[in-house]
Amino acid sequence: MALSGIQIYKMLPQTNCKECGFPTCLAFAMKLAAKQVELDDCPYVTDEAKTDLAESAAPPIRLVEVAANGHKVKVGNEVVLFRHEKKFVNRPGLFLRVRDSEDEAAVEAKVAAAAGYSVDYVGIDLALDGFAVECVSGDAGKFATTVAAVRRSSDLPLALVADSVDALGAGLGVLDDERPLLVGADAGNWEAMADLAAQNEAPLGVRGGSIDELAELTAKIKERGIDDMVLLPAAGTLRASLELQTQIRRLALKNERSVGFPTLIFADDSGDPGRESVRASQAICKYAGFVVLDTFSPEFVYPLLVLRENIYTDPQKPIQVQPALYGLNDPAPDDPLMVTTNFSITYFSVANEVEGSGLPAWLLVTDAEGMSVLTAWAAGKFDAESIAKAVKEFGVADKVSQRRIVLPGHVAVISGELEEELPDWEVMVGPREAVDIPAYMKTVMA
Ligand code: SF4
């Protein structure tokens, strides 16, 4: 049972030294009880107290890891209901489902295509995380053959899905030194499934028709020695699924350890990609640890990958690129020089337009703490002084022979100040929108 703030306080040094960032040990204890700080933030907790506090210090949703061939998918460790309270921690694993009823060659081709898909999004590589292999034939041998076919086409982590312990055992038999997720424990087979998971040191997916049933099962499975579990709450409609996921997250955050595990959602198998996409999107936002898709195509998967990326970024830390002088399209020293901020979307908007035009240019990216141009200007993070500083810091004058620098049109107002900061340079005002840059380069800068 989790401890209250007062109980935790009694185990702290009670010196109110403030090194944890809080004015008193009691304030720190209250935050620890609410899972909003780490126990390690107090450097003076005794080893004995650490042991006693371990449960309270543990995240309310257990961290579960599946792994294969150097690839790892970690889910759980979440501490908030709403992203803006702090952040969501571990991206849900996006897995593609294959069934052992599918033709072996088709499985290999499907898995190879999905495993080979990767897309660059504002400098981040986005890709699927693994595959869920499901036994629908009831034939353990056929299931093992399908797992082997998947493994021939991809080395990504797997979830093995079956109602039968024999099938899961057969699937495990073709894997070598991996940690797959085993999915299939329920009220009728949980003992054998728990034993199989224990023998293979694998996390176990547990199915239940209600939260009460799931809680009862996880408690029994935990007593059998399994700590790493994933919940599969039964859900029909979108609304029912949302309600169950939210209830589980709320209960877990209230330290109800019996449901303090990541969840897994099968997006949809109706054959309607639109419906599947909606369901997967909901699962990514609220609060799945694994989302299993039935459909793979770049146009289907890309929006889900981007959605996941956006939901799981820290809302207080914009995605940034490294401040530097970037060469686009292999520029020569006398090619144009533009300047912008290090907000990723700003950088890639400009860079993509320039690269798409085929025109060579230099792009100076200043440290604006990840803000876009207008926001950074309003916050005093993108001004004449910071641009002049970046010109010097990145040795622009050594790499660029001409002395013209193009400002984003939105900050035309600072052109005079920049001329004062860079008296040897001609300051030009470029377009407001990145999409207009190629035309500007071809006309004004030609
Ligand atoms: Fe108390 Fe530890 Fe914080 Fe110091 S660092 S105030 S001892 S909780």
Side-chain angles (χ1 to χ4, degrees), residues 9 12-29 39 41-45:
Y9 170 70
L12 293 177
Q14 301 179 23
T15 57
N16 300 334
C17 73
K18 303 184 177 60
E19 284 190 40
C20 55
F22 293 91
T24 63
C25 294
L26 182 59
F28 178 76
L39 182 58
D41 292 347
C42 171
Y44 303 113
V45 182

Side-chain angles (χ1 to χ4, degrees), residues 3 16 28 91 100 147 152 155 175 307 338 385 431:
L3 300 174
N16 300 334
F28 178 76
R91 292 163 177 71
D100 68 352
V147 174
R152 282 196 294 277
D155 60 359
L175 302 180
L307 174 67
M338 289 171 277
E385 199 178 326

Side-chain angles (χ1 to χ4, degrees), residues 67-69 151 171-180:
N69 308 299
R151 205 20 103 233
L172 282 163
V174 301
L175 302 180
D176 189 21
D177 199 21
E178 297 186 21
R179 182 178 162 84

Side-chain angles (χ1 to χ4, degrees), residues 66 109 248 292 332 409:
V66 295
I248 288 171
V292 178

Side-chain angles (χ1 to χ4, degrees), residues 95-403:
F95 281 38
L96 180 67
R97 174 155 59 175
V98 294
R99 298 174 176 82
D100 68 352
S101 55
E102 297 174 58
D103 174 74
E104 210 175 311
V107 166
E108 286 186 23
K110 180 176 173 181
V111 169
Y117 176 70
S118 167
V119 61
D120 178 280
Y121 170 71
V122 294
I124 305 165
D125 283 333
L126 303 181
L128 292 175
D129 302 291
F131 296 91
V133 192
E134 183 174 14
C135 177
V136 295
S137 68
D139 180 336
K142 193 164 175 44
F143 182 61
T145 303
T146 305
V147 174
V150 172
R151 205 20 103 233
R152 282 196 294 277
S153 293
S154 167
D155 60 359
L156 291 174
L158 300 181
L160 304 182
V161 186
D163 297 332
S164 129
V165 173
D166 288 345
L168 286 185
L172 282 163
V174 301
L175 302 180
D176 189 21
D177 199 21
E178 297 186 21
R179 182 178 162 84
L181 172 65
L182 304 180
V183 178
D186 59 25
N189 65 16
W190 67 269
E191 287 159 301
M193 286 284 185
D195 291 345
L196 184 70
Q199 285 159 17
N200 291 277
E201 298 180 4
L204 183 60
V206 182
R207 296 181 192 272
S210 67
I211 293 178
D212 286 346
E213 187 182 338
L214 281 168
E216 197 178 316
L217 272 173
T218 59
K220 288 193 284 196
I221 292 170
K222 185 169 174 57
E223 278 179 18
R224 220 169 168 94
I226 303 296
D227 290 322
D228 290 342
M229 283 177 264
V230 171
L231 307 181
L232 285 84
T237 63
L238 270 175
R239 176 176 173 166
S241 179
L242 178 62
E243 286 175 350
L244 272 174
Q245 292 290 322
T246 306
Q247 285 165 10
I248 288 171
R249 173 63 64 93
R250 279 187 190 278
L251 285 167
L253 295 181
K254 287 181 178 171
N255 289 320
E256 179 49 62
R257 295 289 181 186
S258 61
V259 290
F261 301 98
T263 58
L264 182 150
I265 289 185
F266 290 97
D268 198 65
D269 60 0
S270 66
D272 176 354
R275 183 181 158 86
E276 184 185 351
S277 183
V278 170
R279 200 158 186 130
S281 301
Q282 180 181 279
I284 288 168
C285 297
K286 301 274 181 183
Y287 295 102
F290 294 94
V291 181
V292 178
L293 307 171
D294 272 275
T295 302
F296 171 75
S297 68
E299 65 272 22
F300 177 83
V301 167
Y302 176 74
L304 297 175
L305 292 169
V306 171
L307 174 67
R308 179 180 67 166
E309 198 59 37
N310 285 325
I311 294 291
Y312 278 77
T313 52
D314 186 338
Q316 296 173 42
K317 289 185 188 162
I319 311 172
Q320 304 180 24
V321 294
Q322 188 69 25
L325 178 66
Y326 291 88
L328 306 173
N329 295 331
D330 196 17
D334 60 348
D335 280 321
L337 168 67
M338 289 171 277
V339 60
T340 193
T341 70
N342 69 327
F343 178 43
S344 274
I345 293 176
T346 298
Y347 167 81
F348 281 100
S349 298
V350 174
N352 288 346
E353 290 296 339
V354 175
E355 286 173 346
S357 74
L359 298 169
W362 297 96
L363 182 57
L364 176 62
V365 174
T366 69
D367 184 357
E369 298 181 9
M371 295 182 209
S372 61
V373 168
L374 265 182
T375 309
W377 171 71
K381 305 293 181 189
F382 187 60
D383 54 17
E385 199 178 326
S386 64
I387 295 171
K389 186 176 162 209
V391 167
K392 292 191 184 84
E393 182 180 351
F394 300 118
V396 176
D398 299 333
K399 294 169 188 160
V400 179
S401 59
Q402 51 81 16
R403 289 292 177 265

